[in-house]
Amino acid sequence: MLSTIKYTALAVSCAVAMQSGIAVADESKLVRVALAPQDNAEQRINLSGKLRMLSQRIPSVACQISRGVDVEGAGKLLTAAQTEFDKILNALEHGDEDLNIINPETRKKTLIRIHELRAQWEPLRIAAQAIANGTGSDEDVGVVLSQNAEVLEAAVRLVPELVKQYSNPNAVPYDKLLLIDISGRQRMLTQKVSKEACIIGTDHETAKTPADLETTIQIFEASLNALRHGMPELGLLPPPNANIETGLETVLNEWSEVKPLLEKVLGGDALASEALEKKFKGLNVTMSDMNKVVGMYADAAKPAG
């Protein structure tokens, strides 16, 4: 059974710091630049945050395939995730009108973070592609499940760099970009939960996997609570409009459907094949609903006019 979560400022502060790195950042250290409308700050933060999610969706899906869970559907998700990761990463560096990122990146520190992420991504991409093509080996699965953390860490380092760079009180304020980042991180956490829950009971499980899963669940729930109600002392505002409020309630409802299965996994129960598929698909629905909310936050952050 999961431990009870106390939604205190300290809990959310720790939750945010563990996976985001910017929630309690000192705004005096932000890089203030003259932003042109085509810089699309809110879209850059949204998409860079999506790379975090994809870094966890890929190992989650690879694990499901290795366990025989919804193999056909998971294979399609794996191919799509690889393609999207490449497209977003290229857009952040070179621009991509299809993704509404018009200008290429020019800031040296940001480019360094992008190149670091690309270097970590490449071996994972190769192994994941083999799995998606049906030619993957156990070694490829091992690469994806063991090296995804480095890709996630590199993606996590990129996001605050972009927030610092593109935050501008006269265009897109820090508090609005923060909401995009934290809500975007929730997408990633659904897939990190999916990955860790899938690993439990396989040869890839380690002594700390159950504790990792429980911590990830706690972070997701603490952050969702903060998004739903706001936490001004940490710079987190309540939902800026009714659509976002409703969207967050939908995420909570979907999460409540899948949580009992996660509790069974943490309790040491071996789920039947139908339950494994229900857990996998349920977390994907939660992620999809959260993704819609992130888009709403991005729209709400767009400069007027």
Side-chain angles (χ1 to χ4, degrees), residues 249-261:
E249 290 302 313
T250 299
V251 170
L252 177 62
N253 291 336
E254 294 292 350
W255 172 256
S256 298
E257 290 292 320
V258 75
K259 184 178 175 182
L261 294 174

Side-chain angles (χ1 to χ4, degrees), residues 279-301:
K279 172 173 60 65
F280 174 51
K281 291 183 175 180
L283 286 167
N284 285 338
V285 171
T286 306
M287 191 283 296
S288 179
D289 289 335
M290 195 68 232
N291 188 52
K292 293 174 185 176
V293 173
V294 181
M296 294 178 197
Y297 274 117
D299 288 341

